[in-house]
Amino acid sequence: MSPQYKYGPSKAKEFYADNTVVFLTGATGFVGKTILEKLLRSFPGITKVYLLVRISGTKTLQDRVENDVFGSKIFDTLKTQFASTEDFHKQIIEKIVPVQGDITLERLGLSDADLAMIQSDARVVINSAASVSFDDPLNNALEMNTRGPFRTFDVAKGIKHLSAFVHISTCYVNSPMTDAHIDEKIYPHPFGEPEEIYAMLSNMTYEEIRNYERSVVLKTYPNTYTFSKSLTEHLIQKRFKEMDLPVVIVRPSIVTAAVQEPVPGWVEGVAAANKAVVSCALGQVQEWIGQTSKKTDLVPVDIVSKIILLSATTADRTLTRPPIYHVGTSTLNPITWGLFGSYLCAYWRAVDRPRRRVSDDIRFEMYHLPQFKKRFDLRFGEQIRTLAQHKDKEGKRLKIRISKAMAVPMTFKTFASNEWFFDVAETLRLDDAAPVELKSGLRRGIDWHKYMEDYNAGVQEFILREKVDRSVVVDYSIKPLELVLDSSSSQH
């Protein structure tokens, strides 16, 4: 039996017509920016969007909004809908209210006036702020990804007419459950009682946390990011009734370039899969740790942003636990790492050489860890030993290049060596009932051939800032040799 919502996905337009003031954190990030653009383009009835913006160095609040948010190419489509820059400013920019703050500070570092303003009229909170680095020390990851959301919840408790609080998590909170079918729910934490884990970590010294990270966390989770996100979800569920907030949790998988909106291929940043594409494109990494036959879970960012906006319509503080929505492709039509790599190689061998390319050796070979390490030593061991004797600039640059050939594959190791199958039944129910503005097309699946062409072109244009020539013919029929080899011979 379907839950009885006040609005629900079929009434998403009414929801945003009634709830016209949004408080968004993380708007300078890849996902946050996409949410903001979609909200402004598809819901003209939105009257105000508060953006939490962190200030550092000499940049002002206005600088960050104008350059780091609206300076992005993602807003080009929206800008074309207005006759002039003045019209765009009057009808869009004037809706934006930037507030200086930081999720690592109590009350988010908001001034008394800004806090009172947000709490007086915000109706929807979308928490997209997070550290998505896989290399963060555990104390940093906890500060951003666990304490940060609870500071945002504390601010939300004072909002007078709050209709929804969307917390953005990740499918990989359940990364210890390899090769499993994972439902849209919270499973028991592998380390025990979440409140006890959190209390213990809160009382540890810096050295004790570092030791716990190495000896406990990284023995079970691939990185501190997934652990900190997992702990946060468990604490949300434990404190759900006590917090008395209409929280929903959205778990995207590996977020990649837009499939459709605002333009196919739009992408920013070099985190997650983008890092793999850039590393291949620039000839920085040729050999990876993993198996070509393993399925990965890539999901376009515009699908993610639509589900995030849809999910808010199902928020209900009277529930016993928060609704959870997976956004991924692993149970619908996933792509394998081998096919992903073949699309990268074909594209980047065909197009003009990027200016930042360090090597024309464009390969995407995968090996098990022992074989990878052995090959790494054969390829770079002698150079590393020679470079140890040199302190010049050129030597330092070469050391950095060689270190990437080890560090980048190591960050992907767990994700390219295992599979997870994230159930999307609840998400598909949302999507099936969605109005056309928020219909994601997730059920239809991804045309990977077309998508990977657009994704690579998007990296070329928006990340590497290179000119894209769509007349270049990319021959995808000839797979790179390493991807047509039998997996037993190429990986053992």
Side-chain angles (χ1 to χ4, degrees), residues 52-65 68 98-102 105:
L52 184 75
V53 181
R54 191 176 66 216
I55 303 301
S56 59
T58 57
K59 282 192 174 182
T60 65
L61 204 55
Q62 207 56 37
D63 286 340
R64 287 219 70 193
V65 172
D68 298 348
V99 290
Q100 184 172 335
D102 187 329
L105 302 174

Side-chain angles (χ1 to χ4, degrees), residues 2 36 43 89 104 158 188 193 256 261 292 389 407 414 444 447 473:
S2 296
L36 178 64
F43 296 96
H89 197 279
T104 66
E193 167 55 45
T256 50
E261 294 183 37
T292 55
Q389 313 303 316
T414 303
R444 189 171 61 243
D447 175 348
V473 178

Side-chain angles (χ1 to χ4, degrees), residues 383-384 386-403:
Q383 273 182 293
I384 292 168
T386 305
L387 285 170
Q389 313 303 316
H390 299 279
K391 306 292 182 191
D392 59 304
K393 271 187 183 176
E394 190 54 44
K396 280 182 184 171
R397 272 200 292 269
L398 192 52
K399 269 187 212 171
I400 290 168
R401 271 173 50 189
I402 292 171
S403 71

Side-chain angles (χ1 to χ4, degrees), residues 184-255:
E184 292 160 292
K185 68 178 191 180
I186 293 175
Y187 291 85
H189 198 287
F191 298 165
E193 167 55 45
E195 292 287 5
E196 290 176 11
I197 298 165
Y198 184 64
M200 176 188 68
L201 287 165
S202 299
N203 289 314
M204 281 182 176
T205 64
Y206 176 77
E207 280 308 317
E208 286 171 336
I209 287 180
R210 288 293 283 167
N211 185 54
Y212 186 81
E213 175 187 334
R214 289 187 292 263
S215 61
V216 179
V217 171
L218 298 181
K219 292 278 198 293
T220 305
Y221 288 84
N223 48 52
T224 58
Y225 168 73
T226 50
F227 169 74
S228 60
K229 285 287 199 177
S230 172
L231 184 58
T232 304
E233 278 197 18
H234 281 83
L235 293 172
I236 290 171
Q237 179 153 288
K238 284 283 180 186
R239 301 175 185 181
F240 186 67
K241 295 304 286 181
E242 171 203 326
M243 290 196 303
D244 190 30
L245 291 171
V247 178
V248 297
I249 296 172
V250 177
R251 294 174 177 166
S253 57
I254 301 170
V255 185

Side-chain angles (χ1 to χ4, degrees), residues 210-451:
R210 288 293 283 167
N211 185 54
Y212 186 81
E213 175 187 334
R214 289 187 292 263
S215 61
V216 179
V217 171
L218 298 181
K219 292 278 198 293
T220 305
Y221 288 84
N223 48 52
T224 58
Y225 168 73
T226 50
F227 169 74
S228 60
K229 285 287 199 177
S230 172
L231 184 58
T232 304
E233 278 197 18
H234 281 83
L235 293 172
I236 290 171
Q237 179 153 288
K238 284 283 180 186
R239 301 175 185 181
F240 186 67
K241 295 304 286 181
E242 171 203 326
M243 290 196 303
D244 190 30
L245 291 171
V247 178
V248 297
I249 296 172
V250 177
R251 294 174 177 166
S253 57
I254 301 170
V255 185
T256 50
V259 66
Q260 186 178 2
E261 294 183 37
V263 289
W266 181 79
V267 65
E268 267 191 3
V270 286
N274 295 351
K275 184 177 278 191
V277 181
V278 169
S279 299
C280 181
L282 299 182
Q284 294 170 334
V285 180
Q286 293 79 21
E287 300 186 359
W288 301 79
I289 306 158
Q291 296 178 53
T292 55
S293 61
K294 292 291 184 186
K295 297 176 182 73
T296 183
D297 195 317
L298 308 182
V299 66
V301 69
D302 49 338
I303 291 180
V304 173
S305 67
K306 287 175 182 177
I307 298 302
I308 286 166
L309 294 174
L310 269 179
S311 72
T313 68
T314 68
D316 184 350
R317 69 179 78 224
T318 68
L319 297 172
T320 56
R321 59 177 65 89
I324 297 174
Y325 301 101
H326 281 153
V327 197
T329 54
S330 53
T331 54
L332 296 168
N333 73 323
I335 187 172
T336 63
W337 282 106
L339 194 53
F340 174 77
S342 73
Y343 281 122
L344 298 193
C345 292
Y347 186 89
W348 295 103
R349 286 171 180 174
V351 299
D352 287 345
R353 190 181 198 273
R355 284 162 296 181
R356 287 163 50 198
R357 183 173 282 176
V358 296
S359 164
D360 288 323
D361 183 9
I362 306 300
R363 290 180 290 124
F364 196 97
E365 295 181 11
M366 289 195 135
Y367 300 93
H368 284 304
L369 183 59
Q371 183 74 348
F372 172 86
K373 285 184 171 175
K374 187 177 175 185
R375 290 179 62 85
F376 183 87
D377 191 53
L378 285 170
R379 292 171 72 204
F380 302 113
E382 193 55 47
Q383 273 182 293
I384 292 168
R385 286 184 281 276
T386 305
L387 285 170
Q389 313 303 316
H390 299 279
K391 306 292 182 191
D392 59 304
K393 271 187 183 176
E394 190 54 44
K396 280 182 184 171
R397 272 200 292 269
L398 192 52
K399 269 187 212 171
I400 290 168
R401 271 173 50 189
I402 292 171
S403 71
K404 278 184 181 174
M406 171 62 81
V408 176
M410 286 297 283
T411 46
F412 282 90
K413 170 171 62 83
T414 303
F415 302 98
S417 303
N418 298 285
E419 292 175 327
W420 297 263
F421 300 95
F422 303 112
D423 193 278
V424 288
E426 295 301 321
T427 299
L428 291 178
R429 280 192 196 99
L430 275 188
D431 204 38
D432 289 345
V436 65
E437 291 86 351
L438 292 179
K439 185 80 75 177
S440 79
L442 185 63
R443 187 185 289 280
R444 189 171 61 243
I446 309 293
D447 175 348
W448 291 110
H449 183 82
K450 181 182 186 309
Y451 177 73

